[in-house]
Structure formats: structure tokens, C-alpha cells
Amino acid sequence: AEANALIIGEPGSAKLDIIWELVRELALGAVSPGLEHRRPMLFHTALFLAVFREREPLERELLKLLSEAIRAGNIILIIDDLPALLAGAERLGSNIVALLDQFLISPALMVVALADRELFHRELETRDTLLQRFEQLLVANIDQTRLIKILETQAVDLELKNNSRIFFTYQALVALITSAERYFPAENVT
């Protein structure tokens, strides 16, 4: 496989959390040598597709963007919805998989693409040539019991770092999860 990753998960799963953690670690310089000096660039699929009504301008702009990323040599291109990109381009008659392939094999460009599980199965699973260009990472939703265990570990670390000046009760952690589910329902916290 190439140096590209396809992150697959349910809507609202931790797919974006993985991206934000990568961006944070890149900013801190806390990454492996292969990622040092790389710059993340978000490709917002819906905004890109909304601009085009014909195949030629879409392909021309995508080729321009990918060529510039290759020339830069330090880009991590984050495609927020790979299945939608393929479907949208193909609706306009583009052979986007062939177009992308020449860039996915380049060592000068890293691509991290996101896909919801259902759309992965519907749009990507049978595209062997494309999938060979990606390492696949399946992200599962975390149930409430596992989430509490994670929060307990983080809470203990914070308590130790602060010489026990702060303290988290089990009930506070449960309330934190309940509040997050209530106030951020689209994020699907658990």
C-alpha cells in the first residue's frame, strides 16, 4: 500500500478526532520523521463539487490542486468525504479514479481520506485499484462504559499533574458524557 490512509467509520465517530490529533501533533512537531514538516490541507468535498456543473472544469481544477500539492512536496491532503467526491465527479462523467491514481502513487503527496461506513460499502468497497492505494483504518464508536474508562484515565493524569488540587468524581464523568450527548447530538459522543 501507499502512504495514504482511508479512515472509515460511522457518522459522528472519531474519524475527525483522528485528523484533529494529527494536525495538533504536526503543529507541535511531535510526529515521526516521515511526517515532519508536512502541512495538512483540508479538501472540502461538498464545497468543491458545488462549484462545477461540467466534467472538464472539475477535472482541470482537481488536477491543478493535486499538481500544486505534489510540487509543494510536503502536503497531507485530507479529503473529508471520498465517496461523495467519487460519486459527484462520476455524475459529471469523470473517470476520477484514474485521474486520482497518478497522484496517489506519488511519494510527494500523502492523502488521508474519510468515509462513512455505509458509503464505503456502497461506493468504495468494490474499487480494488483505488483501495490498493490506501491503508484502511476502521474507527468504531465507543460505548459509554469504554468512554468512562478513558475519561477516568485522563482524570487521574490531570489530578496527578495538578498535585490533587483538582478531583473528578465518577458521577462528574458520567454527567460530562450525558451533557455531551445532550448538547452535541450530531457528534454522537458514545
Side-chain angles (χ1 to χ4, degrees), residues 147-170 172-173 176:
L147 189 55
I148 287 173
K149 295 226 180 282
I150 292 168
L151 289 176
E152 284 175 328
T153 302
Q154 294 298 314
V156 168
D157 289 347
L158 282 171
E159 290 169 355
L160 292 173
K161 284 180 185 175
N162 289 286
N163 298 324
S164 298
R165 287 182 299 209
I166 58 173
F167 181 75
F168 296 93
T169 65
Y170 179 82
L173 298 177
L176 177 68

Side-chain angles (χ1 to χ4, degrees), residues 47-137:
L47 290 176
F48 181 80
L49 291 174
V51 174
F52 301 103
R53 300 286 175 248
E54 296 178 357
R55 178 184 59 82
E56 292 86 5
L58 177 135
E59 289 179 346
R60 189 172 41 252
E61 193 61 31
L62 188 58
L63 285 170
K64 179 180 166 189
L65 181 141
L66 294 170
S67 296
E68 288 176 8
I70 294 269
R71 269 194 305 283
N74 67 341
I75 299 297
I76 300 174
L77 181 64
I78 301 164
I79 301 174
D80 70 343
D81 192 346
L82 183 59
L85 177 61
L86 298 181
E90 288 171 349
R91 271 193 299 277
L92 297 177
S94 176
N95 183 359
I96 189 159
V97 173
L99 190 137
L100 288 174
D101 193 61
Q102 62 186 311
F103 296 97
L104 293 173
I105 62 174
S106 173
L109 177 65
M110 291 182 173
V111 176
V112 177
L114 305 179
D116 289 344
R117 186 182 307 220
E118 179 183 328
L119 293 174
F120 168 78
H121 291 301
R122 192 168 59 219
E123 299 287 337
L124 301 176
E125 193 168 46
T126 59
R127 299 173 188 251
D128 294 331
T129 303
L130 179 67
L131 292 181
Q132 288 175 1
R133 303 293 183 215
F134 290 94
E135 291 291 332
Q136 295 174 35
L137 174 64

Side-chain angles (χ1 to χ4, degrees), residues 20-38:
W20 290 122
E21 184 63 22
L22 171 64
V23 169
R24 186 183 73 77
E25 291 196 9
L26 285 166
L28 294 173
V31 293
S32 66
L35 293 175
E36 285 180 340
H37 311 295
R38 294 276 181 170

Side-chain angles (χ1 to χ4, degrees), residues 9-20 114 116 139-143 147 176-190:
E10 299 299 329
S13 68
K15 295 186 310 268
L16 283 177
D17 294 339
I18 293 169
I19 298 300
W20 290 122
L114 305 179
D116 289 344
V139 179
N141 285 349
I142 300 173
D143 64 17
L147 189 55
L176 177 68
I177 293 168
T178 303
S179 294
E181 289 171 339
R182 181 180 313 136
Y183 295 108
F184 303 103
E187 297 299 319
N188 195 10
V189 175
T190 57

